[in-house]
Structure formats: C-alpha cells, structure tokens
Amino acid sequence: MRRFDTVLFDLDGTLLDTLEDICGAANHTLRELGYPERTLAEMRRFVGNGAEMQMRRALGADADEETVAKALALYKPYYAAHCQIKTKPYAGVLELMAALKAEGFRLAVVSNKPDATTKTLAARFFPGLPAFGQRDDVPPKPSPDLVFRALDTLGVAAADAVYVGDSEVDVATARNAGLPLAAVSWGFRGRQALAEAGAAVIVDTAAELLEVLR
C-alpha cells in the first residue's frame, strides 16, 4: 500500500473495544420495553450500521416503528451516559496513533456511532482527533457521505486518504468512497468475514497496521 497523507478510522471494533458498553445500553433499553436481553455474541452481529439498525436487530423483526422509535429514544441518551465504563482501546492502538501523528499523518474518526458519543470517546482516548459520527442529516455508512464530509473538513483529497475498519460495512464504505482499505481482524467481525466481503489488505496487529500505512 502506497504512502497516504491521511488515515480515516472507524471507531467501534477498530480503535476501541466498545461492545460491552453497547450491549449494556441495548439490554437496558430492551428491559425497559419488556423485550428479552441479548448476548454479547448477538450484539457483535447487530452493530455496524448505526444505532437504529442495531436496535431494530436487537428488538427483532416483529417490532413496529413506534417501538423502534421508543427504543432509540431510550438507547441514545443512556448509551451516551454509559459509553465509558468498559470501553478501551485495542492493544497497541494508542502507540499506533502516536506514531502516525509523529510521522505527520492527518488522522480522523468516521463512525456510525451517534455523533455526540463519537466525539466524546474520541476526545477521551485520542485528544485533538477530529471525529465524525452519524447525524440525522447524513446517511450512515456504507454511504460515503460521512467520509466525504470528513475529507472536506480536513481539506484532503480522496486520492490522499486511506480508510481503516473492521467490518463488511467498512469494506463497502471504502469502496463507495473510492478509498483503499486496510482492514483489521481484531474487531467485531474477524478475518474470514472481511475476506469474504472483499477486503484485500487485512492486518492482525496494530504494529502490522503501522507498517502497512507507512
């Protein structure tokens, strides 16, 4: 992979292990609505396409639109208030980000997590890192719109950027935005799912990712 000026990162499953806090907030919401709780393994499959799709999957196919709306109204503020309990960076990620910054890369987060929570977590773990999360006026990934918004804000051409993610959604996002992808196997999906989705570059450690991006 040739040298790029800018690296755009997915957040959940790529930089941060957020699954337990997501699952906790989802199960709080399900309990409040009288639905059965979901396991970590189930939630791992449900995440990736934003909060609305996540909660639709958690509720099940029989949930009507009113129930979905109630679920989102409960989930979003609860998760925002409880998103930093067990969430932590993956092994080597802090060192990776420090090395990339020291070498002059421009870095940013582009996530399907709600925008406010994306910014909260980025500010805590990666101070100063620009962060772009899902908003009502921007369609979620795999639409390329969030990527384009990030590039426009940074003043970067798509030809100078690479996308890093851990899921099929990220593979499709990079493809739709016309960006090369470096996929990480340590996140929510794993190497096989990424390969089946068409990821050509898959790395297993943060150190390996650094070498690929250099």
Side-chain angles (χ1 to χ4, degrees):
M1 183 172 287
R2 74 174 182 83
R3 171 69 185 262
F4 295 90
D5 297 326
T6 302
V7 186
L8 304 181
F9 289 92
D10 172 54
L11 188 64
D12 300 275
T14 300
L15 296 178
L16 298 179
D17 184 354
T18 56
L19 189 60
E20 288 189 77
D21 285 340
I22 289 173
C23 189
N27 281 336
H28 168 81
T29 302
L30 294 171
R31 287 194 301 270
E32 288 291 305
L33 295 175
Y35 280 74
E37 295 184 21
R38 295 293 194 165
T39 66
L40 273 176
E42 287 175 317
M43 290 307 301
R44 185 182 297 274
R45 297 195 304 271
F46 296 162
V47 300
N49 294 91
E52 180 178 341
M53 184 59 70
Q54 170 192 305
M55 291 312 302
R56 285 184 183 276
R57 291 166 175 162
L59 289 164
D62 294 336
D64 58 25
E65 293 303 308
E66 181 180 358
T67 302
V68 172
K70 288 179 179 179
L72 287 172
L74 288 167
Y75 172 80
K76 287 184 176 181
Y78 185 90
Y79 179 60
H82 299 82
C83 66
Q84 303 181 54
I85 298 172
K86 296 183 178 180
T87 288
K88 59 186 181 298
Y90 286 101
V93 161
L94 294 180
E95 294 81 0
L96 165 71
M97 302 300 276
L100 290 173
K101 186 175 180 180
E103 294 181 19
F105 286 88
R106 285 174 288 192
L107 310 174
V109 165
V110 179
S111 174
N112 269 347
K113 184 184 292 298
D115 189 57
T117 312
T118 298
K119 287 177 166 56
T120 295
L121 290 175
R124 175 182 174 182
F125 292 104
F126 314 105
L129 190 70
F132 304 84
Q134 186 179 4
R135 296 165 33 168
D136 290 342
D137 61 336
V138 183
K141 301 182 299 182
S143 163
D145 289 33
L146 270 175
V147 170
F148 293 153
R149 181 181 290 264
L151 293 174
D152 287 345
T153 302
L154 296 172
V156 175
D160 296 322
V162 58
Y163 195 80
V164 178
D166 73 302
S167 73
E168 305 95 329
V169 173
D170 295 312
V171 176
T173 299
R175 182 183 301 120
N176 292 340
L179 268 62
L181 172 78
V184 303
S185 67
W186 59 71
F188 295 166
R189 294 295 192 268
R191 176 175 279 275
Q192 181 177 345
L194 288 166
E196 290 175 353
V201 178
I202 306 173
V203 300
D204 299 315
T205 68
E208 186 180 352
L209 177 58
L210 178 60
E211 293 307 312
V212 165
L213 295 174
R214 278 175 166 161

